Structure formats: C-alpha cells, structure tokens
Amino acid sequence: DGGITQSPKYLFRKEGQNVTLSCEQNLNHDAMYWYRQDPGQGLRLIYYSQIVNDFQKGDIAEGYSVSREKKESFPLTVTSAQKNPTAFYLCASSRGPKETQYFGPGTRLLVL
Amino acid sequence: AQSVTQLDSQVPVFEEAPVELRCNYSSSVSVYLFWYVQYPNQGLQLLLKYLSGSTLVKGINGFEAEFNKSQTSFHLRKPSVHISDTAEYFCAVSGAFDSSYKLIFGSGTRLLVRP
C-alpha cells in the first residue's frame, strides 16, 4: 500500500536537545511538507520541498531545519532554538503544487 | 494572499440530523478550495475539493460542499450524520493560478455527533 509514514508516534525532548522526526513516502510524489498543529490554531507550514535537494521556508521555520536528500524522505529537526516545540507535527506529500496533499499519521512532540 | 475563517470552533449535533460546517475565505485572486477531516490523533484526509466547474462538489462519506463566489464561502454539508463523523474538519485554500505550493488552513471545526 502506498502512503506516508512518520516516526516515532511520540517523542520526548529535553531542554537544549535537538530531535529529528522522520517522514517517508512511497507515493512517488515530488513535493513534501511539514506542518505544525496546535490546539485551536489549525495547521501552520514549517518547511516544504518541491523536489530533491531543494526546500523552502514556510510561515514558522525558525527553530527548525530539514533536508531532502532522497525523494522518499523529508526529515525535520527541531533544534534547541525552538523554545516552544510541544505540538503535533504532520508530514504531507503531493505530486505538485495545487495537487491533493496526503498526510501521515503525525508525531506528537513533548518537552520533558 | 489568502486567508480562511471557520466561524464555529465546535458544532454539536444529534445522530441522523443534518449538519453544515461554515467556511469563508478571503482572496483577491481565483482559488482552489479543500475540506479535510482529522480523526483523533491521526493525520488529515481529503473529503473533497473545488478546482473549477460545478459549484456543488460531492466528496467521500456523503459530504458535499458548495462554492459561492459572491459570498466567498465553501460550506460543508451532510444531510444525516453518524457517530463516526465525530472529528475535526479543516477548510483550506490556495491560489488557483500562482506557483505557490502553500495551502492556507482554517482553525478547524470540531463536529461532535451525539446519540
């Protein structure tokens, strides 16, 4: 079955620690996205990638970094510079702009 | 730039009753419109989308939405809801003819179906 996987389902971060969230897709989609979801605020775009080895900042990129070395993978690192990282993180992919975005099951990040 | 307003944060309704979830958008250009559903602790799933053509769009699970350009609205409706429809629903918009990859999401409406 084609789809998007995210791991882990839950992730705990200590103060000053960088953590990396995994996102893998086997839909052969060129575009991938990372969103942050907070209660009552909907989804906000962190980063997106149109194609391998290219990525663009979204609306709330500060404190986050990404890489896109393979078409299938788009990991997100939450750095120590992100002072309020507790949220639900969603990865998505699409064939291109304006195409339907398909979402993974999400990773919930909590701060210890 | 586009924006989306979902006026109701929560909509309680009894099982088998009809429901309408409201979505209004703001844009100076033509738009594409989407409705997504999110079940607890899961990702989002596309319910339906409007790209062009007929203003009445039918989606999965018996949902439909009507694009109203003059009122800049894209309200979601279902004639008879089930307990399993309890979820959060998000309206989203993108510019139709720009090169942007961005989808702008509303803040969501929680549909609570009671027996």
Side-chain angles (χ1 to χ4, degrees):
Chain A
D1 283 341
I4 302 178
T5 57
Q6 290 186 243
S7 61
K9 188 172 183 178
Y10 295 96
L11 185 57
F12 298 91
R13 193 190 91 163
K14 296 179 181 178
E15 291 287 338
Q17 186 181 39
N18 292 352
V19 292
T20 297
L21 285 62
S22 170
C23 176
E24 304 276 333
Q25 55 99 358
N26 61 3
L27 299 169
N28 199 32
H29 286 170
D30 284 320
M32 297 187 74
Y33 312 79
W34 274 106
Y35 292 93
R36 171 178 170 142
Q37 185 177 22
D38 295 282
Q41 292 192 42
L43 280 70
R44 292 181 291 169
L45 183 64
I46 305 173
Y47 268 98
Y48 67 99
S49 168
Q50 301 176 32
I51 200 165
V52 175
N53 293 322
D54 175 78
F55 48 84
Q56 309 292 331
K57 291 182 179 179
D59 300 316
I60 55 164
E62 186 174 351
Y64 301 97
S65 66
V66 293
S67 63
R68 186 86 186 276
E69 297 176 2
K70 299 188 299 181
K71 188 175 186 177
E72 301 80 17
S73 179
F74 190 42
L76 173 74
T77 296
V78 184
T79 74
S80 58
Q82 173 49 246
K83 298 306 179 188
N84 184 24
T86 297
F88 192 51
Y89 291 86
L90 288 161
C91 179
S93 71
S94 70
R95 279 197 294 251
K98 318 307 176 187
E99 300 279 350
T100 299
Q101 292 188 18
Y102 294 85
F103 285 79
T107 292
R108 190 166 298 279
L109 177 60
L110 301 166
V111 177
L112 293 176
Chain B
Q2 293 85 35
S3 67
V4 177
T5 301
Q6 292 184 246
L7 295 166
D8 305 302
S9 60
Q10 184 164 301
V11 173
V13 64
F14 287 107
E15 192 175 17
E16 298 183 6
V19 70
E20 177 179 84
L21 305 183
R22 297 181 292 170
C23 172
N24 287 88
Y25 69 91
S26 174
S27 178
S28 58
V29 298
S30 297
V31 296
Y32 293 155
L33 293 155
F34 305 79
W35 274 101
Y36 283 86
V37 60
Q38 183 181 34
Y39 299 102
N41 295 310
Q42 294 186 27
L44 276 67
Q45 179 184 4
L46 182 72
L47 275 177
L48 50 79
K49 61 184 176 183
Y50 171 79
L51 304 180
S52 65
S54 173
T55 57
L56 183 62
V57 181
K58 294 191 182 296
I60 62 171
N61 301 340
F63 284 94
E64 63 181 33
E66 185 154 20
F67 171 57
N68 188 319
K69 189 175 181 180
S70 62
Q71 297 187 6
T72 60
S73 67
F74 191 54
H75 300 332
L76 182 71
R77 302 185 183 100
K78 187 170 182 177
S80 175
V81 294
H82 302 291
I83 297 288
S84 59
D85 292 322
T86 294
E88 188 140 23
Y89 293 79
F90 292 94
C91 183
V93 64
S94 70
F97 302 115
D98 59 32
S99 60
S100 173
Y101 279 67
K102 290 186 180 181
L103 259 187
I104 308 300
F105 285 87
S107 56
T109 297
R110 187 172 302 276
L111 176 62
L112 179 59
V113 181
R114 297 168 173 165

